[in-house]
Amino acid sequence: MSVSLQEQPQAASLPGARRSLTESAAHGTALEEFERSDGRPAFVLTFTEVKLLGIAGVGFFLDAYDLFIINPVSTMLQYRLYGGKSLPPNLEGFVKAGANIGSVIGQFAFGYAADSLGRKAVYGKELMLIIIATILTLTTPTGSLSPNNCLIYLGMFRILLGVGVGGDYPMSASITSDRSNLRKRGTMLAYVFSNQGWGSLVGSLATLIVLAIYRGAIEKRNELSKVDGVWRIVVGISLIPAFGTLYQRVTLPESKRFVFSQKLKLTGQHTEAQPRDIAELEKEKVTAEGSTDADEKPSKNGSAEIVEERNELSEDNDLPLEVLIKKKAHFKGMVSFPCLAQKFLNYFSEWKHAKLLIGTCVCWFLLDIAFYGINLNQNVVLGQIGFDGKSGTEWNRLFKISTGNMIITALGFVPGYYASILTIEILGRKWIQIQGFLMAALFLGVLAGKFHELSKGAFIVCFALLQFFFNFGANTTTYCYPAEVFPTRFRATAHGISAASGKAGAIISALVFNTLSKKIGTPAVLWIFFGCCIAGAFFTLLLPEVKGRDPDALLAAEIEAKRQAVVGI
C-alpha cells in the first residue's frame, strides 16, 4: 500500500483509553499507512512517494545550490570587482555567511508558524521568498556601486534568501514526517535531505557549462567583465526548479493529522462533562492539600500541566485524545501564537523532553561548525589538491576551481547521502550519527596532522572520505532526528530551533574561518573541527534510537498516565 497525500489513516490504540471512536478515527493517525510491509525495501518508493519527495526535496536542492554556489561566485567577483585580488576578509565572510544568517531567522519563524497555523497555511511562502531574493540578488549593480558596496548589497539580499532557505527546513521535514509510514519515515527524510548533494553537484556542473560557453569572450577576447554574466546566469538557474515546484507547494492539502484533529467526532462512552470533571477533581485535590485558593494551579511540572491538558480537552471535547495530541493550536487572530509558546515551554520544561531538544540542537551546532567550515572555505582544500586556480589565464583559473568543486562533490556528497538512504532503517539513526561523527573526526585528524605532508592523491582520498562520512552520518541524521523524535504538535517548532542551532555553527565558521586560519594556521582550525566531531558523538548519547518510534503515541500515553493519576484509577 502506498503513501498517499490523501490516504486514510492507520489504526491506532491508546493504552488505558476509555473512549469509543468513530470508524475513521479508530483507524488512524494520519498518513502512516496501516504499518504493514509490502515486502519491498524501504528505499523502494511508490509514484506518490516520489511526487511528495519532489515537492519537498526541491527546497534542499536550492539550499545546497544557493549556499555553495557562493564559492565560485565570490571568485568571479574577485575578477569583476577587485581585478583578481582577494575580497576583503570581513566582506567575504559577510557574503558567505549571509544566507546562513537569514536561515536562522527563517527556521525559527517558519517552524513556529507551521505548528501555530498549520502546514498548508505556511507551505510555499518560503519558496516565494527564495524566488524574490534570488531575483533581487541578480540585480546587484556591479557597474555603478563601489566594489565594497556591491558586496554589501549582495550580502543583504542573500540574508533574505536565507530566510526562505531556512524556512524550508522545518516545513519540508514536517510535511514529509506527517505523511510517512513509520517503517519508511527515516528513508523518506533522508531522500529529501539528499537533494543537498544534487544541488551542490548541479551547481558545480552549471558553473562549468556556463564558463565553457563564455570561454571565447573571457579568454580569447580578454573581456574579463563577462564573468558578471557568468555568475548571474549560474545563480539565476536556480529559479527554474523553484518556479516549477511553487504551484504544487501552495496547493498541497493540509496534513491529515491536522484535518482529523478538527473533524473527527466521538461516540459512545465519552461525555462533555468528563474533561471538566477531571479538571475539577484536580482542583479539589489541590484544595484538600492546603491550597489557599481553589483556583490556584499547582507548581510547574506538577499537576498544573494536567489541568492545562484537561482544560484543552474541555474546549475540544468532541475530539479523541489520540487526535488532540496531534492537533495544531487554534488560530484565533494572534492568540494561537502565544498559546503554542506556553504549551511548548510546558512540554520541554520536563528534563526527559528537554534533553532531546538539547541533544538535537547541540549535535547540529557542532556538526555545522565543521561541515560548513570546510565547505564554505573550499579554496583552502582546493589549494592542497592543485585546483586553487593560481596559475594560467583568468578563465583557466575559474574553470579549474569549478572542476575542483565538482570533484569534491561527486566523490563525497552524493555517495554519502545514498549510503544513509540505503541503511538508515537497518542501522538506525543513532548508530549512523555516532559513527559518522567519529569517522569524520578520524579524517579531520589525519588532515590536520599531515596537512602539509600528504600527496595530492592522498589528500583527495582523505577529503573525499571526510565528506562521505559527514553525509553518511551526522549531516543527514541531524536533519532526520528532530522530525522523528518530537510529537506532531511541536515538531516544526522543535525542528526549526534545532536547525537554527546548526546554522549558528555555520555562521561562526563562515565569519571566523579565514581570520582564524591566518592567525593560528589551517591545521589548528582542523583540530578544532576534530574536537567538535568528538563532542557531537558524545551529545548523541542524549538521543534515543527513533527507528519505528511514534512520538505521538508516547505523548498520548503520558497524558493518559497523568489523567489516571489524577482520577485515581
Side-chain angles (χ1 to χ4, degrees):
M1 181 179 296
S2 63
V3 175
S4 170
L5 300 181
Q6 298 289 344
E7 183 179 343
Q8 289 297 321
Q10 149 202 356
S13 60
L14 179 64
R18 297 177 299 169
R19 303 180 176 187
S20 297
L21 308 181
T22 62
E23 181 179 357
S24 57
H27 283 290
T29 60
L31 291 156
E32 293 171 1
E33 296 188 14
F34 291 96
E35 300 304 340
R36 292 190 306 224
S37 174
D38 56 9
R40 295 183 297 181
F43 57 82
V44 178
L45 305 180
T46 66
F47 173 77
T48 309
E49 289 169 337
V50 171
K51 182 179 178 181
L52 174 60
L53 293 179
I55 295 171
V58 72
F60 285 91
F61 177 92
L62 295 174
D63 172 28
Y65 191 101
D66 290 326
L67 288 180
F68 296 134
I69 203 67
I70 197 61
N71 285 317
V73 167
S74 63
T75 304
M76 295 177 202
L77 291 174
Q78 291 179 16
Y79 292 102
R80 179 66 180 93
L81 300 175
Y82 295 92
K85 298 180 181 179
S86 298
L87 302 179
N90 292 337
L91 288 177
E92 182 180 12
F94 173 67
V95 170
K96 289 185 176 181
N100 286 316
I101 293 171
S103 289
V104 173
I105 301 171
Q107 285 156 345
F108 274 118
F110 279 91
Y112 193 78
D115 282 340
S116 298
L117 310 179
R119 280 48 159 163
K120 178 177 174 58
V122 181
Y123 204 41
K125 309 304 186 294
E126 73 295 331
L127 194 56
M128 293 178 187
L129 269 182
I130 292 174
I131 291 171
I132 292 170
T134 300
I135 293 173
L136 292 173
T137 296
L138 298 176
T139 66
T140 304
T142 52
S144 55
L145 288 181
S146 67
N148 286 0
N149 286 337
C150 282
L151 294 182
I152 294 173
Y153 184 100
L154 177 63
M156 292 301 294
F157 286 122
R158 279 189 62 80
I159 292 177
L160 181 62
L161 173 71
V163 174
V165 168
D168 196 73
Y169 276 71
M171 291 307 307
S172 290
S174 299
I175 290 291
T176 304
S177 187
D178 287 354
R179 289 165 163 76
S180 292
N181 181 327
L182 289 179
R183 186 180 69 87
K184 303 177 74 170
R185 186 180 58 198
T187 302
M188 294 283 285
L189 289 165
Y191 263 122
V192 170
F193 196 70
S194 70
N195 282 278
Q196 273 200 340
W198 291 111
S200 182
L201 184 65
V202 171
S204 300
L205 182 60
T207 305
L208 287 174
I209 293 173
V210 177
L211 274 173
I213 294 172
Y214 272 80
R215 181 175 186 177
I218 297 174
E219 187 172 40
K220 296 180 180 178
R221 297 195 297 273
N222 200 30
E223 297 175 358
L224 194 55
S225 62
K226 294 294 185 181
V227 297
D228 214 29
V230 175
W231 77 261
R232 291 178 199 272
I233 292 173
V234 170
V235 171
I237 288 173
S238 65
L239 291 172
I240 298 174
F243 276 115
T245 316
L246 182 60
Y247 176 77
Q248 284 79 8
R249 287 201 173 198
V250 298
T251 58
L252 188 69
E254 180 60 277
S255 166
K256 286 288 187 180
R257 294 179 186 271
F258 291 132
V259 173
F260 275 85
S261 73
Q262 301 175 65
K263 301 295 184 183
L264 293 183
K265 303 293 183 180
L266 284 174
T267 59
Q269 299 175 4
H270 174 64
T271 65
E272 290 188 7
Q274 185 183 14
R276 295 187 178 89
D277 290 343
I278 294 174
E280 291 300 325
L281 284 171
E282 180 59 35
K283 289 181 181 179
E284 292 172 8
K285 177 181 176 182
V286 173
T287 304
E289 291 175 354
S291 173
T292 58
D293 186 348
D295 293 328
E296 181 179 345
K297 292 185 179 181
S299 61
K300 185 178 181 182
N301 290 337
S303 52
E305 184 175 347
I306 305 171
V307 173
E308 188 273 333
E309 293 292 349
R310 296 308 102 221
N311 287 337
E312 179 184 340
L313 286 177
S314 69
E315 296 172 1
D316 295 285
N317 48 57
D318 59 343
L319 299 179
L321 186 60
E322 301 94 315
V323 172
L324 279 167
I325 55 95
K326 295 177 180 176
K327 80 181 195 67
K328 70 181 180 70
H330 293 295
F331 180 53
K332 301 175 182 177
M334 296 297 288
V335 176
S336 62
F337 276 69
C339 179
L340 176 65
Q342 182 180 0
K343 293 173 184 175
F344 184 90
L345 292 175
N346 287 340
Y347 179 77
F348 285 102
S349 64
E350 295 186 39
W351 170 245
K352 64 181 177 181
H353 301 145
K355 73 176 183 178
L356 302 182
L357 188 59
I358 292 171
T360 58
C361 289
V362 174
C363 288
W364 210 333
F365 173 78
L366 294 169
L367 178 275
D368 276 10
I369 288 178
F371 181 76
Y372 282 96
I374 292 288
N375 288 291
L376 288 180
N377 298 279
Q378 287 185 357
N379 56 312
V380 174
V381 177
L382 295 176
Q384 291 299 114
I385 63 177
F387 287 92
D388 55 355
K390 290 186 177 180
S391 60
T393 65
E394 288 83 357
W395 183 89
N396 280 325
R397 295 175 185 178
L398 291 170
F399 196 83
K400 186 174 287 187
I401 291 172
S402 298
T403 303
N405 288 328
M406 184 86 169
I407 292 172
I408 290 172
T409 302
L411 289 179
F413 267 53
V414 175
Y417 285 123
Y418 280 87
S420 293
I421 289 170
L422 295 174
T423 62
I424 194 167
E425 304 295 354
I426 300 171
L427 301 177
R429 291 61 156 166
K430 191 169 186 175
W431 190 93
I432 290 177
Q433 183 158 307
I434 290 176
Q435 67 84 30
F437 268 130
L438 294 179
M439 293 301 293
L442 171 64
F443 291 108
L444 280 167
V446 172
L447 290 173
K450 301 291 183 179
F451 190 77
H452 298 293
E453 301 172 21
L454 291 174
S455 64
K456 290 181 181 179
F459 197 98
I460 290 175
V461 170
C462 192
F463 188 79
L465 288 171
L466 170 64
Q467 293 284 45
F468 177 83
F469 283 105
F470 269 143
N471 297 303
F472 176 43
N475 193 41
T476 297
T477 54
T478 50
Y479 171 77
C480 296
Y481 250 118
E484 297 192 84
V485 76
F486 299 115
T488 303
R489 178 182 289 181
F490 309 118
R491 178 173 292 144
T493 305
H495 196 285
I497 293 172
S498 303
S501 300
K503 282 296 183 273
I507 292 168
I508 292 172
S509 284
L511 292 178
V512 307
F513 180 90
N514 286 327
T515 302
L516 199 60
S517 62
K518 290 174 183 177
K519 287 184 178 180
I520 64 176
T522 300
V525 176
L526 293 178
W527 280 120
I528 294 175
F529 295 163
F530 169 88
C532 288
C533 289
I534 295 295
F538 279 104
F539 273 96
T540 303
L541 298 176
L542 289 174
L543 300 172
E545 176 52 61
V546 292
K547 181 174 65 173
R549 185 179 190 267
D550 187 347
D552 290 321
L554 294 176
L555 179 57
E558 287 182 27
I559 294 176
E560 181 64 19
K562 290 177 182 178
R563 190 218 322 277
Q564 292 181 357
V566 170
V567 178
I569 297 177

